[in-house]
Amino acid sequence: MTVSRAANRPESVSVETRGKIFDAMESLGYKPNALARSMRRRSTHQIGYLTADLTITPNAIMAQSAGQTFAEAGYRQIIAISNGQLELEHKFLEQFQSGIVDGMIPMISDESSQKTVDLLQNCGVPIVAIDRDLPFTVDAVLSDHRAPMIKAVKYLHDIGHRDIALLCSPQTMRPGRIRSAAFVEAAQQLGHTDPEARVFSMPQRPEEAFAATQFLLSRADRPTALIAAANQLTFGVLQAIQSLGMSIPCDVSVIGADDTIVSPLFRPALTMISRDLVEIGKAAAGLLIERLRQPETAVGRILMLGSDVVLRDSCSSPQKKK
Amino acid sequence: MTVSRAANRPESVSVETRGKIFDAMESLGYKPNALARSMRRRSTHQIGYLTADLTITPNAIMAQSAGQTFAEAGYRQIIAISNGQLELEHKFLEQFQSGIVDGMIPMISDESSQKTVDLLQNCGVPIVAIDRDLPFTVDAVLSDHRAPMIKAVKYLHDIGHRDIALLCSPQTMRPGRIRSAAFVEAAQQLGHTDPEARVFSMPQRPEEAFAATQFLLSRADRPTALIAAANQLTFGVLQAIQSLGMSIPCDVSVIGADDTIVSPLFRPALTMISRDLVEIGKAAAGLLIERLRQPETAVGRILMLGSDVVLRDSCSSPQKKK
DNA sequence: TTGTACGCGTTATCAA
DNA sequence: TTGATAACGCGTACAA
């Protein structure tokens, strides 16, 4: 009908007819069916966003920021939560392949899964990676995890620490890999003993960090400082230190990661590795929107965003052990 | 084609043909188009979830829990973030009306907006409200905010407080209304002076609570205890108290709301009004799924879930003022 | 057990 | 400027 024209290019319909059409749409409560429209246009204006866990505030910040950017550009965001489970992740990625999304931002939880990689590579829509290394050319927004980790280690070294432990997310994801490599590199350069043995990778859950910290701090040769290189690990470390009746920074210095509103509210206020999470989400969404508008752009654009260490009160010189 | 049959009711296709079809699907990488299927079936298996802000952890917990329940039942969740802006909210609700969702969970941010109410009432799909009162019959999952508020006020009264202030979310939403009413009721019954004058409603942002707390605690006749009846308000209260160089609970007692993993990590550990947010999300999704499966069920099912006060260390008897 | 025809609600194309 | 027709890819109904 002429209705379609009126809705999409009003200027191509006579004022008179247009008026009648709008009146009728109003009185009938007519809404164009988005499905039929998408089918015809071969575009749903939906974006798939896969993440492990939205209750991890930094993840929520990135997702929300991306979602806002998409909304402003006329796209809807579908958030799929994998809970870190590989099978769920595959299920969602397969769903995204059935034509319901125009693009994807997949924050996968295991870069080493061949099936995940295959699903992404053959998904048929543009994707933008956030902080993930994929074995094929993609657009990506990456955080510089190396510089702040080196800075953190140096800072602890400068105030006297020689025995620092790192708790970080799994080696199957970029942040864990880069952060642990940078940690080892920096500690070695500063002459610390066997830093590799002081790296502990674990899923990003407080319980994991709780157990690891209890174990580490119960030993006679316990480290004098802990770096918790993920948001939820930071909470687990704090829990464990409190459960042991130890205090920060007297008994142990702590540096956390992924600063949010609560970090400065802890006593002592937490020194954190911090990055602009809103900017990351926005940048990723921006890259994807650009590509959807100009599909010819060469794939492989990489945006590297900086991050830094915010000094507060959770680190001090190590005390002599009793 | 016979392909459709093979995909949907494999038993109605001969084993031989079925095999050929599956082989072909495999080798061609064929995926049924979800759009066409939805159009034909008149159901997208998508659910719209509207919320104000996912970076508020309690909101994220509810949304995630609902999303998981939906995923298990074969539904996809579309999360729309309104940022508390009425226009955005309307925009999203209108989008949801164009046939892209089979149902909705709209956590609207202003129950008094006639336009919002109209959009919900005429949206054409089942909805389930979470903690919102709507002026028409709907299925809803509600929290009991009255009992825990009364308990909190009594608790503070029992340890000696006679001047308690309440910071709560706006009166245009159920939690703010119920909590402030319960607060006034309890304080009056206990003989406190003019409790209405001690209720402060504000948008759920830390800055708002920060300003209000600074104002309240700078006065000579400052309250001896604060109840922050929303997650982000709690953080603002803590910021303000720290900025004033006061300490909890010596200078002022504090009760927060919507317990999350961080509450016990603060020093002192925070006494909180707490509810099972996972259960809320799950219950809401469950109600909606039930209705989608059995559309004939009478509308107006109400699930009232309890909540409680978790006592920790942020309250003590008020000190004599200097 | 398998194939054919049609319709879901749009929009693109072409003709009037 | 407007109307008619076909097509998007699937599922239903019916025929073969």
Side-chain angles (χ1 to χ4, degrees):
Chain A
M1 292 271 298
T2 308
V3 172
S4 173
R5 254 192 298 268
N8 296 306
R9 301 194 300 124
E11 71 280 5
S12 69
V13 173
S14 76
V15 184
E16 188 190 5
T17 322
R18 199 192 309 169
K20 280 194 225 163
I21 289 177
F22 287 143
D23 287 350
M25 294 196 344
E26 185 75 22
S27 67
L28 296 172
Y30 167 83
K31 294 279 169 199
N33 180 302
L35 255 61
R37 169 176 287 177
S38 295
M39 186 151 122
R40 195 53 245 226
R41 289 188 175 158
R42 324 197 120 264
S43 152
T44 59
H45 272 64
Q46 290 192 150
I47 303 292
Y49 189 104
L50 178 76
T51 187
D53 187 343
L54 276 185
T55 69
I56 300 177
T57 307
N59 286 349
I61 296 175
M62 288 188 284
Q64 177 153 325
S65 168
Q68 240 147 32
T69 311
F70 285 130
E72 284 160 17
Y75 291 89
R76 265 187 310 276
Q77 188 178 41
I78 297 185
I79 301 183
I81 297 162
S82 71
N83 221 341
Q85 293 167 32
L86 211 52
E87 288 166 31
L88 260 180
E89 215 164 275
H90 295 161
K91 194 190 116 193
F92 286 131
L93 292 180
E94 275 163 10
Q95 283 195 6
F96 285 166
Q97 288 186 337
S98 52
I100 60 172
V101 296
D102 290 355
M104 283 178 45
I105 297 191
M107 291 200 65
I108 57 171
S109 30
D110 184 355
E111 295 165 357
S112 64
S113 157
Q114 187 59 42
K115 176 150 188 197
T116 308
V117 171
D118 287 346
L119 282 169
L120 288 177
Q121 196 158 16
N122 305 318
C123 70
V125 297
I127 72 180
V128 172
I130 294 185
D131 224 357
R132 295 290 181 273
D133 286 326
L134 297 176
F136 54 94
T137 310
V138 277
D139 292 331
V141 176
L142 305 178
S143 289
D144 175 13
H145 296 299
R146 189 168 170 276
M149 180 56 74
I150 290 177
K151 187 168 167 183
V153 174
K154 275 206 174 118
Y155 165 66
L156 289 171
H157 177 90
D158 287 345
I159 61 178
H161 293 274
R162 295 295 178 271
D163 191 349
I164 308 168
L166 174 73
L167 283 69
C168 68
S169 43
Q171 300 291 311
T172 51
M173 285 179 285
R174 191 185 117 89
R177 269 202 315 281
I178 308 258
R179 281 170 164 160
S180 59
F183 171 82
V184 169
E185 177 192 336
Q188 252 162 3
Q189 194 153 15
L190 295 166
H192 294 198
T193 320
D194 201 10
E196 279 101 341
R198 289 169 168 80
V199 173
F200 302 87
S201 296
M202 61 199 78
Q204 192 184 167
R205 285 191 297 262
E207 315 87 82
E208 307 274 347
F210 180 84
T213 306
Q214 279 209 325
F215 168 74
L216 276 170
L217 295 184
S218 304
R219 303 190 315 192
D221 60 335
R222 58 184 163 83
T224 59
L226 296 178
I227 301 179
N231 184 265
Q232 299 288 296
L233 299 184
T234 310
F235 297 144
V237 165
L238 295 182
Q239 283 172 352
I241 292 174
Q242 294 183 0
S243 80
L244 292 168
M246 299 177 118
S247 81
I248 306 172
C250 309
D251 299 313
V252 59
S253 291
V254 170
I255 296 182
D258 283 340
D259 210 19
T260 66
I261 182 177
V262 299
S263 323
L265 296 178
F266 292 112
R267 294 291 87 149
L270 292 182
T271 289
M272 299 285 278
I273 294 171
S274 166
R275 48 187 178 146
D276 189 338
L277 297 160
V278 171
E279 185 56 31
I280 293 173
K282 199 168 148 186
L287 280 183
L288 192 47
I289 292 166
E290 272 180 37
R291 168 157 317 289
L292 291 170
R293 292 199 175 138
Q294 310 185 347
E296 303 312 323
T297 323
V299 176
R301 294 168 298 168
I302 304 286
L303 237 58
M304 177 72 76
L305 301 180
S307 55
D308 205 354
V309 180
V310 178
L311 298 182
R312 299 203 183 89
D313 313 321
S314 59
C315 299
S316 70
S317 297
Q319 313 289 309
K320 285 269 174 282
K321 290 175 198 166
K322 331 154 207 182
Chain B
M1 295 266 302
T2 309
V3 173
S4 173
R5 255 192 298 265
N8 295 308
R9 301 195 298 128
E11 72 281 4
S12 69
V13 173
S14 77
V15 184
E16 188 189 5
T17 323
R18 198 192 307 168
K20 280 195 224 163
I21 289 177
F22 286 143
D23 287 350
M25 295 198 342
E26 184 75 22
S27 67
L28 295 172
Y30 169 84
K31 295 280 168 197
N33 181 303
L35 257 62
R37 169 174 288 176
S38 296
M39 189 150 117
R40 194 55 244 240
R41 289 189 178 158
R42 320 196 124 264
S43 151
T44 59
H45 272 64
Q46 290 192 149
I47 304 292
Y49 189 105
L50 178 76
T51 187
D53 187 343
L54 277 185
T55 69
I56 299 177
T57 306
N59 286 348
I61 296 175
M62 289 188 283
Q64 177 153 325
S65 168
Q68 240 147 32
T69 310
F70 285 131
E72 284 160 17
Y75 291 89
R76 265 187 310 277
Q77 189 178 40
I78 298 186
I79 301 182
I81 298 161
S82 71
N83 219 342
Q85 292 168 35
L86 211 52
E87 289 167 31
L88 260 180
E89 214 164 275
H90 295 161
K91 195 189 112 192
F92 287 130
L93 292 179
E94 275 164 10
Q95 284 195 5
F96 286 165
Q97 288 186 338
S98 51
I100 60 171
V101 297
D102 290 354
M104 282 180 45
I105 298 192
M107 293 200 64
I108 58 171
S109 30
D110 184 355
E111 295 165 357
S112 64
S113 156
Q114 187 57 44
K115 175 148 189 198
T116 306
V117 170
D118 288 346
L119 282 169
L120 288 178
Q121 196 158 14
N122 305 317
C123 69
V125 295
I127 72 179
V128 172
I130 294 186
D131 224 359
R132 295 290 182 274
D133 287 327
L134 297 176
F136 54 94
T137 310
V138 277
D139 294 330
V141 176
L142 305 178
S143 289
D144 175 14
H145 297 300
R146 188 168 171 279
M149 180 57 75
I150 290 176
K151 187 168 167 185
V153 174
K154 274 204 174 121
Y155 164 68
L156 288 171
H157 178 90
D158 287 344
I159 60 177
H161 293 274
R162 295 295 178 273
D163 191 348
I164 308 169
L166 174 73
L167 284 69
C168 68
S169 42
Q171 300 291 310
T172 51
M173 284 179 285
R174 190 183 119 90
R177 270 201 316 280
I178 309 259
R179 281 170 163 161
S180 58
F183 170 83
V184 169
E185 176 192 336
Q188 252 161 5
Q189 193 153 12
L190 294 166
H192 293 199
T193 321
D194 200 9
E196 280 102 341
R198 289 170 169 76
V199 172
F200 302 87
S201 296
M202 60 198 79
Q204 191 185 166
R205 284 191 297 262
E207 314 87 82
E208 307 274 348
F210 180 85
T213 306
Q214 279 208 327
F215 168 74
L216 276 170
L217 296 185
S218 305
R219 304 189 315 193
D221 60 337
R222 58 183 164 84
T224 60
L226 296 178
I227 301 179
N231 183 266
Q232 299 287 295
L233 299 184
T234 311
F235 297 144
V237 166
L238 295 184
Q239 283 172 351
I241 293 174
Q242 294 184 0
S243 79
L244 292 168
M246 299 176 117
S247 81
I248 307 171
C250 309
D251 300 313
V252 60
S253 290
V254 171
I255 296 182
D258 283 340
D259 211 19
T260 65
I261 181 179
V262 300
S263 324
L265 295 178
F266 292 111
R267 294 294 85 150
L270 292 181
T271 289
M272 300 284 278
I273 294 172
S274 168
R275 48 187 177 146
D276 188 339
L277 298 160
V278 170
E279 185 56 33
I280 294 173
K282 199 169 148 184
L287 280 184
L288 193 47
I289 292 167
E290 271 180 38
R291 167 154 320 287
L292 291 170
R293 292 200 177 138
Q294 310 185 348
E296 304 311 323
T297 323
V299 176
R301 295 168 297 166
I302 304 287
L303 237 57
M304 178 71 78
L305 301 180
S307 54
D308 205 355
V309 181
V310 178
L311 298 182
R312 299 203 184 89
D313 314 320
S314 58
C315 299
S316 69
S317 297
Q319 313 289 308
K320 288 267 175 281
K321 291 177 196 167
K322 331 153 211 187

